[in-house]
Amino acid sequence: MKGLYRDVPQADPPQTIIIGTGNTCPQPVIDLVWPSRGTTRSASQIVSPQERAGVAAPPENIDSPMACFMDCIEALKKENGSVISTISRHVDKYLKANVLSEDRISVPKLHGDDNIMVDSLSSGIIILRERAKNMVLDGFQKECLDVYSNWRRDFLKESLLTLGLQDQEFNMEDNNNMEKIEKLIKAMNVAARILFPNERRLCDLVFGGSIWKFHFREFCTDLATSLLNSALALPTWSHFMRNTLQELIQEFQSYTTLVNSTVFVVRQRLCLQETLEDVTLIPCGGLHPITLEVMYYLYSDYKNKEISTLSQALEEGKISSTVYMARVAELLKSSLEAKSKNANKFELMYYIYSLRRSRESKLSQGLEQEKFFSPECKARTLELLESSLEANSKNYNNPTLGYVFIMNNLRFITVETKLNGLEPIFGDDWLQKNTTKFQQNLELYQRSSWNKIVDFLKPDINQLEPSVAAELMKDNLHWFSEHFDETCNVQSAWSICDEELREQIIKSIENILLPAYGNFLRRFEELIGKHAYEYIQYGMFEVQDRLNRLFLVRE
């Protein structure tokens, strides 16, 4: 063990002379370690019990183990600034470095040292250990650990504040705030590699054994969770942020409580982003494999928990075996059975293939490891899935296909949620938001393609001479036919995940296109007369027929 503490003998340190033995609080101390405590006597002055006889007795609790322990804690608190200054000098080069350089500029490595606090407080640690031992022997173990934990919890916060790395709240607008993100990355590194290892070393020296471990994990969890939640508040993570989390997440987990849902969510988000990063675009705008896999695992987790709950209810006699068997049979019935009644057989085959492939994927391994323990994990994972799909949709060269891609995946998530009874996981608010988001993408889809075609059918000819108006309508009809034909050819090669959604989209196109086209043809015939049909390439039935042949590709 390096540092000053290894050289300190087990006897009382020479700076402090104590009168008294056993578990009682020592008599007044000639203390040169902490002059600020008010001791003014010289080291040669020793106050005996007899000398105190003529002095009014202090309150009874002054001599209690708790008072002695609290007195020691208060004295050590005054050393916080000195300890933090030592830490600051140790990490100074790292704190001054630019850690967010995306072009991989060299960054000083942060070297850990778990003896900083021990070296700074060595004499005080010996006294604190003795007073903590007295507290435990007198039956005040919990109170002792609570007081200690509060002190160290405050110290961790004070450390980040003094180092200029105080925990900050993030929002959607902060995704490009490099200064705040840089401070967060530095705070996570300092916490995981400097503060937490030092706290563990300090706890072990003060208490020994294992009685301190839960409390140590608890006060470290407060800070770790706060830092990780700040990272989770960012809608996207840069490569540098992801690399930081991948390096530190195991260390954070080793210093925090064993069941920490925030750590699980971070691991899942890292897993999802890593998986998505390597996946190419779906050429026809169909279902993304990641959507299939996430919904599959959400359903599997829900099903397993429901069966476990039913088994417990059966054991406790709350339900009959008949009810139990019927409900389990319902839960075990694969959603593929319901799909096979309505879905195209190619879609069904693709879905089965995706599930089989998922068992060997990175996502499968990552999600099975974390097991989706908490409702928060489920909700945050679905949020990440949606944001990832949204980002993926923007990579299409044709924005219209990006809207089709989003509609496909949102539709699948909604159908699977309802089909498998997953509404309790997400709640009515989520379903409503999902429906709203779908409608927004449907409107964007119409606006980016079909609204432009409809615009050809609305020429302003009211103030024009009949001959000029006729020529304008001929030109518009020509360009309508050209764009209509091109759009139908392109979108006939796109994919829609189920027939009901396909019908819904086609119906929405008919509602804006057919009335406008019908009105145009009537005005055109009135203006051109009997020669009008020489210019009409598509009649009303031909337009409807072309629309009905959209989205026929199946993956």
Side-chain angles (χ1 to χ4, degrees):
M1 182 194 311
K2 66 176 183 175
L4 179 62
Y5 184 80
R6 63 181 178 182
D7 298 322
V8 177
Q10 294 301 309
D12 292 331
Q15 295 95 329
T16 304
I17 303 175
I18 303 175
I19 297 295
T21 57
N23 293 341
T24 62
C25 183
Q27 302 299 325
V29 176
I30 287 63
D31 196 338
L32 302 183
V33 179
W34 304 300
S36 58
R37 293 177 62 190
T39 303
T40 58
R41 296 178 180 138
S42 68
S44 62
Q45 291 176 296
I46 302 176
V47 182
S48 67
Q50 289 78 10
E51 290 176 301
R52 297 184 63 208
V55 181
E60 184 177 347
N61 67 341
I62 292 298
D63 290 340
S64 71
M66 173 63 85
C68 296
F69 185 73
M70 289 291 293
D71 188 44
C72 191
I73 290 287
E74 288 301 317
L76 285 169
K77 281 183 181 180
K78 296 174 182 178
E79 306 300 312
N80 283 0
S82 174
V83 177
I84 295 173
S85 293
T86 303
I87 293 173
S88 180
R89 288 193 295 273
H90 179 76
V91 302
D92 182 61
K93 191 176 180 182
Y94 172 75
L95 294 177
K96 290 179 179 178
N98 175 15
V99 302
L100 286 181
S101 177
E102 293 294 347
D103 54 358
R104 298 296 185 267
I105 292 177
S106 178
V107 176
K109 187 173 180 61
L110 181 62
H111 297 285
D113 183 351
D114 63 356
N115 282 285
I116 293 177
M117 293 179 194
V118 172
D119 290 346
S120 301
L121 301 173
S122 59
S123 299
I125 294 171
I126 294 177
I127 299 172
L128 185 66
R129 183 176 60 188
E130 290 304 314
R131 306 246 171 122
K133 178 181 178 182
N134 290 341
M135 285 274 287
V136 172
L137 290 174
D138 279 26
F140 297 107
Q141 175 176 307
K142 182 181 183 304
E143 291 81 356
C144 175
L145 288 167
D146 285 344
V147 169
Y148 180 88
S149 296
N150 289 334
W151 169 41
R152 301 319 298 167
R153 186 180 286 107
D154 291 341
F155 175 83
L156 291 175
K157 293 179 182 178
E158 183 181 347
S159 296
L160 289 188
L161 180 64
T162 306
L163 294 172
L165 305 175
Q166 61 266 35
D167 191 20
Q168 304 168 78
E169 291 186 5
F170 282 78
N171 52 48
M172 298 291 284
E173 288 72 35
D174 285 326
N175 206 59
N176 295 317
N177 191 324
M178 292 297 103
E179 183 179 357
K180 289 182 71 173
I181 294 173
E182 177 179 337
K183 286 185 177 180
L184 175 60
I185 289 176
K186 289 177 178 177
M188 289 191 292
N189 271 284
V190 170
R193 291 174 171 162
I194 301 296
L195 298 179
F196 292 164
N198 271 277
E199 290 297 337
R200 180 164 58 188
R201 179 96 177 98
L202 185 62
C203 272
D204 191 31
L205 288 174
V206 172
F207 296 103
S210 60
I211 65 169
W212 54 270
K213 289 185 178 180
F214 172 78
H215 285 73
F216 160 75
R217 286 179 175 275
E218 204 170 39
F219 64 74
C220 287
T221 297
D222 290 346
L223 180 58
T225 300
S226 182
L227 292 170
L228 293 176
N229 278 333
S230 293
L232 287 170
L234 295 168
T236 58
W237 287 339
S238 66
H239 285 291
F240 220 97
M241 173 63 81
R242 286 174 52 194
N243 291 341
T244 298
L245 289 167
Q246 286 169 341
E247 290 174 7
L248 298 181
I249 194 65
Q250 190 65 41
E251 294 182 52
F252 272 125
Q253 194 162 25
S254 69
Y255 295 124
T256 57
T257 50
L258 296 178
V259 180
N260 187 339
S261 61
T262 304
V263 172
F264 290 163
V265 174
V266 171
R267 293 174 73 96
Q268 289 166 0
R269 178 163 170 177
L270 286 169
C271 178
L272 280 170
Q273 287 199 203
E274 182 182 358
T275 305
L276 279 170
E277 192 173 66
D278 299 331
V279 176
T280 57
L281 292 176
I282 306 302
C284 300
L287 293 176
H288 201 298
I290 202 74
T291 304
L292 296 165
E293 294 182 28
V294 168
M295 295 307 295
Y296 170 75
Y297 283 105
L298 286 173
Y299 170 67
S300 297
D301 178 78
Y302 172 74
K303 176 189 69 179
N304 293 337
K305 285 186 176 179
E306 283 290 290
I307 291 177
S308 176
T309 301
L310 287 169
S311 298
Q312 184 176 351
L314 179 64
E315 290 179 7
E316 295 173 354
K318 295 179 180 179
I319 60 173
S320 66
S321 58
T322 304
V323 172
Y324 171 80
M325 293 300 294
R327 180 62 182 139
V328 169
E330 183 181 343
L331 286 167
L332 291 176
K333 187 193 302 180
S334 172
S335 61
L336 293 178
E337 293 182 16
K339 281 179 168 295
S340 64
K341 297 175 183 177
N342 303 308
N344 182 287
K345 65 179 181 179
F346 294 109
E347 178 204 346
L348 182 61
M349 291 170 61
Y350 175 69
Y351 186 73
I352 295 173
Y353 164 76
S354 295
L355 295 188
R356 183 171 63 248
R357 189 180 68 87
S358 73
R359 296 187 179 93
E360 301 173 357
S361 72
K362 293 179 184 176
L363 178 67
S364 170
Q365 296 167 9
L367 298 187
E368 284 182 352
Q369 180 180 357
E370 303 303 343
K371 299 185 184 302
F372 280 124
F373 279 124
S374 73
E376 180 189 3
C377 289
K378 298 182 180 70
R380 295 297 289 271
T381 300
L382 192 60
E383 287 175 13
L384 177 59
L385 170 63
E386 291 174 349
S387 64
S388 298
L389 293 173
E390 188 70 34
N392 209 310
S393 72
K394 291 177 170 43
N395 292 328
Y396 284 97
N397 292 329
N398 187 338
T400 306
L401 182 56
Y403 303 134
V404 170
F405 169 78
I406 287 293
M407 286 191 289
N408 266 319
N409 286 271
L410 290 179
R411 168 75 176 185
F412 180 80
I413 292 171
T414 302
V415 170
E416 285 295 290
T417 297
K418 293 180 178 179
L419 188 63
N420 296 314
L422 302 180
E423 292 96 328
I425 295 177
F426 309 125
D428 294 335
D429 288 346
W430 175 84
L431 287 172
Q432 182 59 46
K433 289 178 182 177
N434 199 52
T435 301
T436 301
K437 194 179 296 184
F438 175 88
Q439 285 300 131
Q440 289 171 346
N441 278 273
L442 179 57
E443 291 172 9
L444 290 169
Y445 160 78
Q446 293 173 342
R447 191 182 307 161
S448 64
S449 57
W450 296 102
N451 282 9
K452 295 178 180 179
I453 295 174
V454 172
D455 287 342
F456 289 114
L457 304 175
K458 300 176 180 179
D460 187 4
I461 60 174
N462 293 330
Q463 306 300 322
L464 300 177
E465 293 291 331
S467 60
V468 177
E471 289 303 314
L472 179 60
M473 292 195 74
K474 288 178 185 178
D475 286 343
N476 278 25
L477 182 60
H478 168 76
W479 289 115
F480 165 82
S481 299
E482 286 285 317
H483 283 79
F484 176 75
D485 187 58
E486 180 184 358
T487 300
C488 287
N489 287 339
V490 170
Q491 296 193 17
S492 292
W494 292 354
S495 175
I496 294 296
C497 68
D498 68 49
E499 188 61 31
E500 186 177 337
L501 175 58
R502 178 176 175 273
E503 291 174 0
Q504 181 180 353
I505 295 176
I506 292 174
K507 186 67 176 175
S508 73
I509 300 170
E510 290 178 346
N511 288 340
I512 62 172
L513 183 62
L514 295 182
Y517 192 55
N519 289 333
F520 181 92
L521 291 183
R522 281 192 294 273
R523 296 177 69 189
F524 188 69
E525 290 172 10
E526 291 171 359
L527 194 62
I528 304 299
K530 62 181 180 180
H531 298 293
Y533 286 96
E534 296 176 12
Y535 302 95
I536 299 174
Q537 182 177 348
Y538 295 104
M540 292 292 291
F541 289 113
E542 285 82 7
V543 168
Q544 198 162 16
D545 182 62
R546 289 298 301 274
L547 294 179
N548 286 330
R549 283 185 276 150
L550 296 176
F551 314 119
L552 290 178
V553 170
R554 288 292 178 266
E555 296 168 282

